[in-house]
Amino acid sequence: MSFECARFLVANRLARFGNQSKRHHAPWRAARSALAFLIERDLKPKAIEESNPMSVHDFKVKAPGGKEQDLAEFKGRPMLIVNTASKCGFTPQYEGLEKLHRDLGPKGLAVIGFPCNQFGAQEPGDEEEIKNFCSLTYDVTFPLMAKVDVNGADADPLFKHLKSEKKGLLGTQGIKWNFTKFLVDKDGKVVGRYGPTEKPETIIKDIEKLL
């Protein structure tokens, strides 16, 4: 029930009750004020929440060195968010992701990697080791965030949101492996999800539609 509808119904009940009461009495005025307060507190926030769903821009994530990255800084730019790993069969996709960053970054695309060690323990290194590997092996220059969990109770809130907005194969939410990719539009809405076997170069057309 919407806030406005609830307020109308309660006001109607109050009016009926008021016709049978002495409206000028202090207890009546106090009860009416208290009820109005409860309506505002309990119903209006829910109505606001329903009309303003959360977007990717509402999240802050952990960056290397204990810093924080506010994703609101990417408003107006499409984002490709990827859970990465250094010792995976899909690790060569770093090369394709870097190419997207270099070719489409100047047009607005933001590629953001999130190292994750949940799949086969294929990202065991610390922040410095991950950075050096990506830089020396694939000349990665797009931003890599701090290592995160993407599944389970300790999953990063951003990835919980991404998974709920775009489900995977057969409607499941859980991420199956490294290098799952989420495409986000300029307004922070999740518009695409691509499995590990889908190489970065195969989704260029989808990205270009958002630029």
Side-chain angles (χ1 to χ4, degrees):
M1 179 185 298
S2 71
F3 167 71
E4 294 299 332
C5 182
R7 183 168 61 179
F8 171 79
L9 291 175
V10 173
N12 205 5
R13 292 290 180 86
L14 285 171
R16 289 184 182 180
F17 180 74
N19 289 335
Q20 302 172 11
S21 306
K22 294 182 179 180
R23 298 189 184 186
H24 60 279
H25 282 182
W28 160 251
R29 291 196 299 270
R32 183 169 182 171
S33 297
L35 187 54
F37 168 77
L38 292 174
I39 294 170
E40 293 284 342
R41 184 196 67 182
D42 295 336
L43 294 179
K44 196 165 187 177
K46 294 179 181 179
I48 293 173
E49 183 178 344
E50 290 171 2
S51 63
N52 294 294
M54 182 173 285
S55 84
V56 169
H57 297 147
D58 295 321
F59 291 88
K60 295 180 180 179
V61 296
K62 294 179 181 179
K67 299 179 181 178
E68 190 175 66
Q69 173 64 58
D70 189 345
L71 296 185
E73 293 181 15
F74 295 96
K75 284 183 178 179
R77 300 177 61 187
M79 289 183 279
L80 187 64
I81 297 173
V82 190
N83 63 297
T84 61
S86 301
K87 300 181 182 297
C88 174
F90 297 112
T91 298
Q93 288 191 21
Y94 266 126
E95 184 176 351
L97 293 171
E98 179 63 21
K99 182 170 175 54
L100 288 180
H101 169 66
R102 297 192 182 196
D103 292 349
L104 301 181
K107 298 180 180 180
L109 176 67
V111 179
I112 307 174
F114 286 81
C116 177
N117 195 43
Q118 284 190 297
F119 305 103
Q122 294 177 345
E123 189 63 288
D126 58 25
E127 290 178 356
E128 194 64 24
E129 290 172 329
I130 293 170
K131 177 183 176 181
N132 288 337
F133 169 82
C134 291
S135 177
L136 295 174
T137 309
Y138 295 103
D139 197 19
V140 168
T141 59
F142 62 82
L144 293 171
M145 298 295 109
K147 190 185 295 188
V148 298
D149 281 354
V150 298
N151 287 333
D154 295 326
D156 187 272
L158 170 63
F159 277 87
K160 290 182 179 180
H161 175 72
L162 294 171
K163 294 185 296 180
S164 68
E165 290 297 298
K166 277 295 176 183
K167 296 178 174 58
L169 190 64
L170 302 178
T172 57
Q173 287 196 22
I175 291 175
K176 304 301 187 294
W177 206 252
N178 305 306
F179 290 89
T180 296
K181 308 156 197 74
F182 292 91
L183 184 59
V184 180
D185 71 11
K186 294 179 180 181
D187 297 320
K189 179 181 178 181
V190 187
V191 296
R193 175 171 173 163
Y194 309 90
T197 59
E198 296 187 73
K199 296 181 179 181
E201 54 267 31
T202 67
I203 62 175
I204 291 178
K205 290 183 177 180
D206 289 348
I207 296 172
E208 289 179 332
K209 293 175 183 177
L210 304 178
L211 295 174

